[in-house]
Amino acid sequence: MSKLFKKPLTLAQKKAWYGVLFASPLMLGLLMLFVLPLIQSLRFSLSSIHLVQGGFAVDYEGFSNFSQLFTTNPDYPRRLTESITNMIVNVPIIIIFSLFAAVLLNQKFKGRAMARAIFFLPVILASAAIANLDISSFVGGSTPAGGGEGGGGLMESFELKKMMLESGLAPVFVTYITGAVDRIYDIISSSGVQILIFLAGLQSISPSLYESSRIEGATGYEIFWKVTFPMMTPLILTNTIYSIIDSFNHNTINALISETAFKSFEFGQSAAMSWVYFIVVAFILVVSTSLISRKVFYYD
């Protein structure tokens, strides 16, 4: 028996234990800081909470908080629908733009480091420390609602829409593309992390794959679709999951949940909102992951 425990571990077993060791702080933090509050939140969502002297009282109400969200609350269904719609519209644009920008930034040209820093700059500017600053105090007032660059952008997208419709494209695609043009700042601001992930993946592709493709006479277009894109599919899955979570993390429904809890003091209703939100996000993640995973190519 003692010889069995003294048997040296194989390389695969060592890598597996290193992975467990690396992930153990996350698993412990998940268990201590997430699971218990999650159970408490589920209890609150099924109850009504009243502030009493010395604390609060929890009265079990069943699923009444959940039913009220879609029967008596006028804001929650609308904001939830808007969040899902914005995610469905924005995430594909962010993934396509991020991959396109990463391929361009991976090329060798002068000022490449500066270009990469410029693309990542919106991530820094969108951080919590910068976002909490009062921008109006720096520009001396609020931005005009109808003039300036906003009007020019609308005119440009209108001309682009007219040109694309005249070229014979379907109105659905034209509306989708022009909507992306109108939201170009938001798309760039949400693409910094994804561009970095794609850049890391592009630089990890073996140069021998490109060399052998060129020797076989493949064009740049064929190399991208036959070599680069298949090698990027695992990272497309990663970036899709990240983009979905990020899009749900920055919308008005989070503010509604916070206001319901800490301004209206309806903690049970707020917990029910959070649980519906959590279930919707989890469902979308499971569906999108299962669909994309079927096309993911892993190179050994």
Side-chain angles (χ1 to χ4, degrees):
M1 181 65 68
S2 60
K3 293 182 179 180
L4 180 62
F5 287 100
K6 292 181 180 180
K7 184 179 179 181
L9 298 175
T10 63
L11 180 60
Q13 290 174 333
K14 289 181 179 180
K15 288 183 177 181
W17 279 110
Y18 287 148
V20 173
L21 182 64
F22 181 80
S24 58
L26 177 63
M27 292 186 290
L28 290 176
L30 181 68
L31 182 63
M32 294 186 294
L33 302 176
F34 184 76
V35 174
L36 293 179
L38 190 69
I39 297 173
Q40 187 78 341
S41 173
L42 179 60
R43 179 190 172 207
F44 288 163
S45 68
L46 300 173
S47 308
S48 61
I49 303 173
H50 308 283
L51 296 177
V52 296
Q53 186 176 4
F56 58 88
V58 180
D59 299 325
Y60 180 75
E61 297 287 344
F63 290 92
S64 60
N65 287 325
F66 291 93
S67 62
Q68 290 174 10
L69 291 180
F70 301 97
T71 56
T72 61
N73 193 313
D75 292 329
Y76 186 76
R78 176 178 56 83
R79 295 197 186 188
L80 183 62
T81 305
E82 289 177 355
S83 300
I84 297 173
T85 304
N86 291 335
M87 183 277 300
I88 295 174
V89 172
N90 290 333
V91 168
I93 299 175
I94 292 172
I95 297 300
I96 294 172
F97 173 80
S98 301
L99 181 58
F100 176 75
V103 171
L104 292 181
L105 294 174
N106 194 48
Q107 306 300 316
K108 294 182 179 180
F109 57 89
K110 291 183 179 180
R112 181 173 63 172
M114 179 63 69
R116 292 178 178 178
I118 291 173
F119 272 95
F120 192 68
L121 190 62
V123 178
I124 301 175
L125 295 178
S127 64
I130 303 297
N132 289 331
L133 293 178
D134 186 6
I135 302 300
S136 62
S137 62
F138 294 96
V139 298
S142 58
T143 306
E149 296 177 3
L154 291 176
M155 288 300 296
E156 291 173 2
S157 64
F158 176 77
E159 293 295 333
L160 177 63
K161 184 175 183 179
K162 180 180 177 181
M163 181 184 66
M164 296 176 71
L165 287 173
E166 291 176 352
S167 65
L169 287 176
V172 175
F173 294 105
V174 173
T175 303
Y176 186 76
I177 295 173
T178 54
V181 172
D182 293 334
R183 300 189 309 276
I184 188 64
Y185 176 76
D186 294 332
I187 292 170
I188 295 175
S189 300
S190 304
S191 302
V193 174
Q194 293 88 330
I195 291 174
L196 284 181
I197 294 174
F198 279 135
L199 267 175
L202 289 171
Q203 293 173 0
S204 66
I205 299 177
S206 175
S208 61
L209 295 176
Y210 292 114
E211 292 176 3
S212 60
S213 300
R214 294 189 184 96
I215 292 173
E216 294 293 331
T219 62
Y221 178 83
E222 293 172 335
I223 289 175
F224 175 80
W225 288 109
K226 299 296 184 181
V227 178
T228 304
F229 186 79
M231 298 292 289
M232 287 293 101
T233 50
L235 297 181
I236 290 175
L237 175 61
T238 302
N239 278 335
T240 300
I241 295 174
Y242 174 83
S243 300
I244 291 174
I245 296 175
D246 187 61
S247 67
F248 278 117
N249 194 36
H250 298 89
N251 52 44
T252 58
I253 199 168
N254 291 308
L256 177 63
I257 294 173
S258 178
E259 291 172 1
T260 303
F262 301 108
K263 289 186 178 180
S264 303
F265 298 105
E266 298 179 0
F267 297 103
Q269 190 88 179
S270 176
M273 290 180 180
S274 301
W275 268 97
V276 173
Y277 194 36
F278 172 75
I279 293 172
V280 169
V281 174
F283 176 77
I284 292 175
L285 285 173
V286 169
V287 172
S288 58
T289 302
S290 62
L291 292 177
I292 299 175
S293 297
R294 299 175 183 177
K295 302 296 182 181
V296 172
F297 171 78
Y298 292 101
Y299 175 77
D300 295 330

